[in-house]
């Protein structure tokens, strides 16, 4: 992809806001026409220093952990209602985080401009 920068743990840290119109879901999970994309990682994804993660979808907040091993991003969301483990290949473009998942899933997030990259969310 054009304009990508090397993915590092430091570049992943921050608050990311889902761009549903840029996302692609697998055919088995595709929303009905006119329905918004619902990301399994949440509409607002916060990757904190030290591997802490929060995910927000409307008023529902989930917590968990994340880890980047140099090539893949692992996110574990703790209950409720159940533990959810997800793996993605991340790409970082200026101001955007693209997460490629299994079965052609593509989640696109924009960096929250109101949270500085150099500050822990």
């Amino acid at each position: 992809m054009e304009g990508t920068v090397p993915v590092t743990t430091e570049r992943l840290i921050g608050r990311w806001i889902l761009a549903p119109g840029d996302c692609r879901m697998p055919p088995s999970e595709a929303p009905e026409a006119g329905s918004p994309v619902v990301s399994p990682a949440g509409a607002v994804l916060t990757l904190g220093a030290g591997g802490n993660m929060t995910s927000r979808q409307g008023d529902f907040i989930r917590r968990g952990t994340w880890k980047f091993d140099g090539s893949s991003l692992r996110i574990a969301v703790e209950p409720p209602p159940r533990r959810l483990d997800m793996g993605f290949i991340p790409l970082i473009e200026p101001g955007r985080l693209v997460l490629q998942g299994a079965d052609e899933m593509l989640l696109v997030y924009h960096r929250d401009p109101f949270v500085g990259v150099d500050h822990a969310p």
Side-chain angles (χ1 to χ4, degrees), residues 7-14 16 45-54 63-70 72-78 83 86 88 90 97 121:
V7 178
T8 64
T9 298
E10 292 76 24
R11 287 191 173 122
L12 288 167
I13 292 173
W16 301 93
L45 176 64
T46 304
L47 303 174
N52 295 316
M53 183 276 314
T54 57
R63 300 190 188 292
T65 58
W66 69 280
K67 181 180 179 181
F68 179 63
D69 68 6
S72 65
L73 173 65
R74 302 292 308 173
I75 296 175
V77 179
E78 300 299 329
R83 182 178 171 90
M86 298 174 278
F88 301 100
L97 171 63

Side-chain angles (χ1 to χ4, degrees), residues 1-115:
M1 292 187 129
E2 210 172 299
T4 60
V5 295
V7 178
T8 64
T9 298
E10 292 76 24
R11 287 191 173 122
L12 288 167
I13 292 173
R15 185 164 45 204
W16 301 93
I17 301 170
L18 185 69
D22 296 334
C23 296
R24 184 176 63 233
M25 299 301 281
S28 62
E29 296 181 33
E32 294 180 18
S35 297
V37 170
V38 176
S39 166
V44 178
L45 176 64
T46 304
L47 303 174
N52 295 316
M53 183 276 314
T54 57
S55 171
R56 170 174 243 140
Q57 187 72 40
D59 290 335
F60 189 64
I61 298 173
R62 293 189 278 180
R63 300 190 188 292
T65 58
W66 69 280
K67 181 180 179 181
F68 179 63
D69 68 6
S71 61
S72 65
L73 173 65
R74 302 292 308 173
I75 296 175
V77 179
E78 300 299 329
R82 62 182 169 80
R83 182 178 171 90
L84 179 63
D85 289 307
M86 298 174 278
F88 301 100
I89 304 296
L91 297 170
I92 295 181
E93 301 170 350
R96 285 181 13 143
L97 171 63
V98 179
L99 300 177
Q100 296 176 336
D103 300 325
E104 301 177 25
M105 178 186 291
L106 187 71
L107 302 173
V108 179
Y109 287 85
H110 293 274
R111 187 175 291 280
D112 186 341
F114 298 107
V115 176

